[in-house]
Amino acid sequence: MADDSIAVVDLDRCQPDRCNYECANFCPPNRSGKECIVTREERFEGEDGYEGGADQVHISEEICLGESCGICVNKCPFDAIEIINLPQELDDDPVHRYGENAFALYGLPAPQEGQVTGILGPNGIGKTTAVRILADEMAPNLGQVSGDPPAWETIMDEYRGTELQTYLEQLREGDVTVARKPQYVDQIPDQFDGTTRQLLERTDERGALDELIDRVGIRPVVDQDIDTLSGGELQRVALVACLARDADFYFLDELTPYLDIGQRMTAARLVRELADEGGRSMLVVEHDLAILDLLADTIHVAYGSPGAFGVVTSPKSTKNGINEYLGGYLENENMRVRQESIQFEEHAPRSTAEGDVVVEYPDLSKSYGDGEFSLEVDGGEIQENEVLGVVGPNGIGKSTFAQLLTGRLEPDEGEVDARLDIAYKPQYVEIDQPMRVDAFLSSITDDFGTSYWNTEIADPLQLDRIMEQDLTDLSGGERQRVAIAACLSEDADLYLLDEPSAHLDVEQRVRATTAIRRYAENHDATALVIDHDIYMIDLLADRMLVFDGEPAEHGRASPPVSMRDGMNEFLANLDITFRRDERTGRPRINKPESQLDREQKNAGEYYYSD
């Protein structure tokens, strides 16, 4: 194989007991007598600890003809093989490779003292691997997957003369301390048994615990058991536990999942303050572009082929890095990472003409328990062929309103038209059916597998590689994409999607947004989308429904309004203003109390400023 190609075998998909080794039998080098594709037992005979089953295949990258051949890729009935051409500029060996025919990472981000460094890229591209290396949780093997791992002196020679040299030397000598916030906060209850207070008191190395608890608003749950907390509460507990430590470098793997925009702003301000005032170094992996834009001084873009290889670029200015990523072309690397650029409206998007009314609902009210929470909804209507964006803090009643519309909850006052046919994707996707993805989706629509369905739904949601997996084996992001597909596959009067961006990376959010918007436009469909991602709402919505009130106590929803009026109302409640990037039109959060922030607040234009 050419030096700029790699072979990847997905051992979770390779099923030799269900095939006839078509990959090996049709491989041109194999047919000429060479051993390009062999079983792992043949390849690793006599070696201990090789990964995968003995009958699964191994591909010799030295013998393989490369992506131009691709016969094994096409012949494998389980899509278990990828032969990928690496970028021509990629001359160096990998920083780390997980094994023969396994994922390879090229490049590392460089933390800067007293700055916030961001990493932007899709899931499965190596961001967490990079963080684990820099947090001293694993040593890079420089691509040496057999024999003894490289000595630390060899690793240091690899980075001599680079920005990483000093950091790695200090890390190795124990001269720097590291604190890390994990990516999957929902796993915290599996690792700790006790109350929130007991967990957090272990981390109070700076004497800032009480202030952090109050700033993020978790004081009401500090004496609750960890396993009783919601996702948003666990996220804030994990952030406090990380920032309470006295460290030189803080690694924060996804700040925003489960948080509303107000909570995201609070988290961003805490991180920014610790960098500015404490001189600490921060490395942040984040998929909310508005928050990443506000937080980071510089960013590294990660690109490649998820699950196969990832490349971390040299640092870019935050503005240019995000713009290049959205545009789909990385200028310094001369690399196209997406065929289509992401376009934002420069002003309030899509003025909607008065259309036929699909849903008309009266004033509604709903209360829980003895004054635990109450919701008041002002009557309104949802028009045909529009996407209505729904925004508001967590715990304010948005999901309750969705369940009132679907009939899953009965209002205390008012009545919703029970004849309405609604396709509903709930906020929390719980899939416990013991069936495959393709069987599940084919049970929902007769269009399953047609060229139309594949183009409109399956392709943008990247469902092809998970069709044969069981629903119970899917990750959070995979479940989310299947749930969106299931919702859009139904024949309905109204498509109601509650937090479709949850667990999705930036690329997947773009694709999901495209699928929802395109489906609505091509089918004259009506959709109601609840989400905290401002970029997704900006790209999707024609009008807005704004919730306000006191979270967990009472909420109120005003009737649907224009995007301009809705955004101004919503952001005024949060005391946040946005501007538009002059090049791409994307929304960017203004720094609090900046000149532009004050000017827009005085003008009452919190979002669509000219």
Side-chain angles (χ1 to χ4, degrees):
M1 182 186 289
D3 290 338
D4 57 354
S5 299
I6 63 171
V8 178
V9 178
D10 187 337
L11 298 182
D12 290 331
R13 301 178 69 87
C14 181
Q15 302 180 52
D17 57 331
R18 296 177 57 195
C19 76
N20 295 310
Y21 288 107
E22 289 88 348
C23 58
N25 292 333
F26 285 93
C27 171
N30 273 31
R31 299 182 75 171
S32 68
K34 299 177 181 178
E35 294 186 342
C36 179
I37 302 181
V38 298
T39 67
R40 299 180 75 79
E41 182 177 42
E42 294 169 325
R43 169 67 177 86
F44 297 101
E45 186 175 3
E47 295 185 23
D48 294 329
Y50 68 84
E51 297 180 0
D55 295 333
Q56 292 179 301
V57 299
H58 169 271
I59 301 175
S60 169
E61 294 180 345
E62 291 75 22
I63 301 174
C64 179
L65 300 178
E67 189 175 350
S68 60
C69 170
I71 290 176
C72 60
V73 175
N74 294 322
K75 291 296 183 181
C76 177
F78 306 111
D79 293 326
I81 298 173
E82 289 186 87
I83 309 294
I84 301 168
N85 287 342
L86 297 174
Q88 292 182 357
E89 296 80 2
L90 218 57
D91 296 328
D92 297 333
D93 291 328
V95 172
H96 190 80
R97 195 164 189 186
Y98 280 94
E100 298 273 2
N101 299 152
F103 179 85
L105 173 67
Y106 296 82
L108 285 173
Q112 299 293 316
E113 187 173 345
Q115 292 194 354
V116 179
T117 303
I119 311 180
L120 168 61
N123 289 332
I125 212 74
K127 301 186 302 298
T128 299
T129 296
V131 168
R132 291 188 63 204
I133 291 172
L134 294 176
D136 202 23
E137 295 179 10
M138 61 184 289
N141 62 17
L142 305 182
Q144 299 178 24
V145 296
S146 60
D148 294 330
W152 189 254
E153 291 73 19
T154 304
I155 296 172
M156 290 307 307
D157 286 341
E158 188 73 19
Y159 293 99
R160 201 164 303 284
T162 70
E163 294 182 70
L164 277 169
Q165 178 184 355
T166 301
Y167 174 77
L168 292 175
E169 287 176 345
Q170 292 175 336
L171 188 67
R172 181 62 176 172
E173 296 299 324
D175 293 335
V176 296
T177 52
V178 173
R180 181 183 171 204
K181 189 203 82 66
Q183 178 181 10
Y184 300 109
V185 297
D186 51 353
Q187 296 177 2
I188 293 175
D190 298 330
Q191 301 163 0
F192 180 83
D193 184 19
T195 67
T196 303
R197 185 186 301 277
Q198 289 170 331
L199 184 152
L200 291 178
E201 285 180 346
R202 297 180 175 186
T203 70
D204 190 19
E205 298 172 354
R206 298 194 299 116
L209 185 61
D210 280 341
E211 179 189 355
L212 290 170
I213 286 173
D214 289 332
R215 289 279 297 275
V216 303
I218 57 171
R219 179 70 64 182
V221 302
V222 292
D223 292 314
Q224 290 186 25
D225 288 337
I226 281 289
D227 59 7
T228 67
L229 302 190
S230 68
E233 290 163 345
L234 283 172
Q235 186 69 264
R236 286 175 283 164
V237 167
L239 176 65
V240 168
C242 179
L243 299 186
R245 295 195 177 278
D246 187 10
D248 300 301
F249 291 89
Y250 295 80
F251 297 93
L252 300 124
D253 204 344
E254 296 194 30
L255 282 173
T256 61
Y258 305 109
L259 302 186
D260 62 44
I261 188 170
Q263 294 165 340
R264 294 178 186 196
M265 286 294 295
T266 298
R269 286 167 179 159
L270 286 173
V271 173
R272 188 71 256 178
E273 288 169 10
L274 196 53
D276 291 341
E277 299 169 10
R280 316 296 175 111
S281 296
M282 307 285 181
L283 185 65
V284 179
V285 177
E286 185 50 61
H287 296 305
D288 186 322
L289 294 182
I291 295 298
L292 184 64
D293 189 19
L294 178 70
L295 256 183
D297 297 294
T298 60
I299 67 169
H300 297 262
V301 177
Y303 68 93
S305 179
F309 79 97
V311 183
V312 178
T313 70
S314 57
K316 302 173 180 286
S317 74
T318 302
K319 176 181 175 181
N320 288 342
I322 293 177
N323 283 351
E324 288 179 16
Y325 185 82
L326 290 173
Y329 177 71
L330 305 180
E331 295 179 0
N332 290 345
E333 292 73 21
N334 190 27
M335 176 60 57
R336 180 156 293 283
V337 296
R338 189 186 312 102
Q339 292 303 312
E340 298 179 356
S341 64
I342 308 305
Q343 301 294 329
F344 292 87
E345 300 285 347
E346 291 191 6
H347 303 288
R350 293 182 293 274
S351 58
T352 54
E354 290 292 327
D356 294 336
V357 175
V358 173
V359 183
E360 185 171 5
Y361 53 90
D363 292 349
L364 302 170
S365 67
K366 178 67 179 178
S367 297
Y368 291 95
D370 185 15
E372 290 180 14
F373 176 79
S374 63
L375 172 66
E376 301 291 332
V377 178
D378 294 340
E381 58 185 35
I382 305 173
Q383 299 170 8
E384 186 179 37
N385 192 24
E386 77 166 343
V387 178
L388 184 66
V390 181
V391 295
N394 283 333
I396 207 72
K398 302 185 301 298
S399 296
T400 297
F401 173 67
Q403 294 181 62
L404 290 174
L405 287 182
T406 61
R408 285 169 169 77
L409 286 177
E410 288 291 331
D412 299 331
E413 296 182 14
E415 186 176 351
V416 178
D417 188 349
R419 297 169 299 174
L420 200 62
D421 192 2
I422 297 179
Y424 178 49
K425 187 209 79 67
Q427 178 181 12
Y428 298 106
V429 179
E430 306 241 345
I431 298 178
D432 54 9
Q433 301 182 54
M435 61 192 305
R436 291 188 353 173
V437 171
D438 51 5
F440 170 65
L441 292 173
S442 64
S443 70
I444 293 173
T445 176
D446 293 335
D447 290 329
F448 176 81
T450 64
S451 59
Y452 149 78
W453 188 86
N454 287 335
T455 301
E456 295 291 318
I457 296 176
D459 291 347
L461 292 173
Q462 298 177 304
L463 300 181
D464 182 58
R465 289 187 63 81
I466 62 173
M467 281 295 187
E468 295 183 354
Q469 294 188 36
D470 289 333
L471 292 169
T472 52
D473 293 335
L474 300 180
S475 68
E478 290 167 343
R479 290 186 177 201
Q480 187 71 265
R481 286 182 280 145
V482 169
I484 294 170
C487 180
L488 296 181
S489 296
E490 294 187 39
D491 185 14
D493 301 312
L494 175 67
Y495 295 86
L496 201 163
L497 298 104
D498 197 345
E499 293 199 33
S501 75
H503 302 293
L504 301 186
D505 64 35
V506 174
E507 192 73 20
Q508 292 164 347
R509 291 181 191 195
V510 167
R511 288 177 171 271
T513 300
T514 300
I516 297 167
R517 183 73 226 178
R518 183 178 295 167
Y519 187 88
E521 291 175 344
N522 292 348
H523 295 266
D524 294 333
T526 302
L528 186 148
V529 179
I530 303 169
D531 212 279
H532 295 300
D533 189 310
I534 290 294
Y535 279 37
M536 175 172 267
I537 293 295
D538 186 77
L539 287 165
L540 272 176
D542 300 299
R543 293 193 300 156
M544 290 185 64
L545 183 62
V546 179
F547 282 70
D548 63 8
E550 188 65 33
E553 294 184 13
H554 61 85
R556 186 175 193 88
S558 53
V561 295
S562 70
M563 285 290 288
R564 182 187 293 272
D565 292 342
M567 279 295 187
N568 281 336
E569 178 185 349
F570 174 54
L571 295 176
N573 292 337
L574 295 170
D575 198 32
I576 299 170
T577 61
F578 278 75
R579 67 190 183 281
R580 291 280 175 170
D581 183 83
E582 66 277 7
R583 176 179 167 188
T584 65
R586 67 179 172 89
R588 304 184 66 191
I589 300 174
N590 291 321
K591 291 186 177 180
E593 298 304 315
S594 66
Q595 180 178 348
L596 192 54
D597 179 61
R598 294 194 301 269
E599 288 176 355
Q600 287 184 218
K601 287 176 179 176
N602 290 335
E605 290 289 353
Y606 285 74
Y607 197 61
Y608 295 109
S609 60
D610 295 327

